[in-house]
């Protein structure tokens, strides 16, 4: 179980994590939360319906990471969606974004919070580590959050295809990107083994 998720009886998954691994995942999840930002109008509202009917932005985010996490629904330049007019595609994307981005951000926030809360509730298993046990639902939330974390890190590392990912393995230890590359590759391994438990 060390370093990889395994299926547990009754559904769900478990993984043994040491204190450093717990700290890294938690820190990355907190950074993701900060990047996504609070909901419309801040965290709390007196009107529970206000958030439901709040319209989101119509323009894509400026940050490349957020553009990757919240992509245009109708593709970008060079997209082949059957529409010949780029202005028309932008208009469709803007309208779609206006009505969906707040919900998508909320889901990504909730997924990251599940990761943080489950890490915070872990009990030590000795030698500075602990075993994280997740229900099926928590496993799915973790999978979504791990995917978001890898997309965010991959965007910062300018990984756009498999060839770029292969180059990461050959970076020298002196490269300042090396710690982020190691996190990217490690999270990929966690993600892969977690997918395996959900398919069993």
């Amino acid at each position: 179980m060390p370093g990889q998720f395994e299926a547990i009886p009754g559904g769900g998954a478990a993984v043994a994590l040491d204190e450093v691994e717990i700290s890294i995942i938690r820190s990355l999840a907190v950074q993701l939360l900060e990047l996504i930002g609070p909901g419309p109008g801040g965290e709390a509202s007196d009107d529970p319906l206000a958030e439901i009917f709040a319209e989101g932005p119509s323009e894509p985010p400026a940050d490349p990471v957020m553009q990757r996490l919240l992509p245009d629904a109708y593709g970008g330049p060079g997209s082949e969606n059957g529409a010949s007019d780029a202005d028309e595609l932008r208009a469709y994307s803007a309208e779609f974004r206006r009505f969906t981005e707040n919900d998508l951000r909320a889901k990504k926030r909730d997924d990251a919070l599940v990761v943080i809360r489950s890490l915070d509730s872990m009990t030590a298993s000795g030698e500075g580590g602990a075993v994280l046990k997740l229900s099926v639902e928590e496993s799915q939330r973790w999978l979504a959050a791990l995917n978001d974390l890898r997309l965010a890190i991959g965007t910062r590392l300018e990984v756009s295809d498999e060839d770029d990912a292969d180059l990461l393995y050959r970076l020298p230890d002196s490269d300042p990107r090396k710690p982020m590359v190691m996190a990217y590759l490690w999270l990929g391994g966690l993600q892969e083994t977690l997918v395996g438990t959900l398919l069993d």
Side-chain angles (χ1 to χ4, degrees):
M1 185 186 309
Q4 63 181 25
F5 279 98
E6 293 183 4
I8 55 177
V15 63
L17 298 170
D18 64 31
E19 289 179 358
V20 173
E21 292 168 332
I22 293 166
S23 175
I24 290 170
I25 297 172
R26 191 182 190 289
S27 174
L28 290 171
V30 167
Q31 290 175 52
L32 182 64
L33 274 178
E34 291 170 352
L35 187 63
I36 293 167
E43 288 296 333
S45 172
D46 294 335
D47 182 3
L49 297 178
E51 191 167 329
I52 294 173
F53 294 108
E55 290 185 7
S58 58
E59 294 297 319
D63 185 328
V65 170
M66 290 309 296
Q67 288 175 19
R68 186 77 171 97
L69 293 175
L70 304 167
D72 277 336
Y74 294 96
S79 177
E80 297 179 18
N81 292 336
S84 59
D85 188 6
D87 290 336
E88 189 176 345
L89 279 179
R90 278 194 290 276
Y92 291 152
S93 289
E95 190 72 1
F96 188 82
R97 182 178 297 279
R98 192 161 59 96
F99 292 108
T100 61
E101 184 171 309
N102 287 342
D103 289 341
L104 188 53
R105 282 181 184 259
K107 183 185 181 316
K108 291 180 182 300
R109 267 193 305 274
D110 291 346
D111 292 340
L113 283 170
V114 166
V115 169
I116 292 166
R117 289 177 180 144
S118 57
L119 291 173
D120 288 348
S121 68
M122 291 175 70
T123 55
S125 63
E127 296 186 15
V131 175
L132 173 68
K133 292 184 180 177
L134 303 173
S135 67
V136 173
E137 181 185 351
E138 288 170 330
S139 296
Q140 293 166 341
R141 304 302 285 272
W142 260 75
L143 189 58
L146 287 172
N147 187 61
D148 286 344
L149 289 172
R150 290 195 78 237
L151 284 174
I153 295 170
T155 302
R156 292 286 189 242
L157 292 171
E158 300 179 351
V159 174
S160 59
D161 58 31
E162 283 302 314
D163 291 337
D164 291 337
D166 289 341
L167 291 174
L168 297 178
Y169 285 101
R170 295 193 293 273
L171 281 179
D173 290 343
S174 59
D175 192 302
R177 297 172 295 170
K178 190 71 173 194
M180 208 37 77
V181 166
M182 297 307 293
Y184 177 79
L185 297 173
W186 173 58
L187 291 174
L190 285 176
Q191 186 180 19
E192 186 177 338
T193 59
L194 185 51
V195 167
T197 68
L198 292 171
L199 293 177
D200 284 345

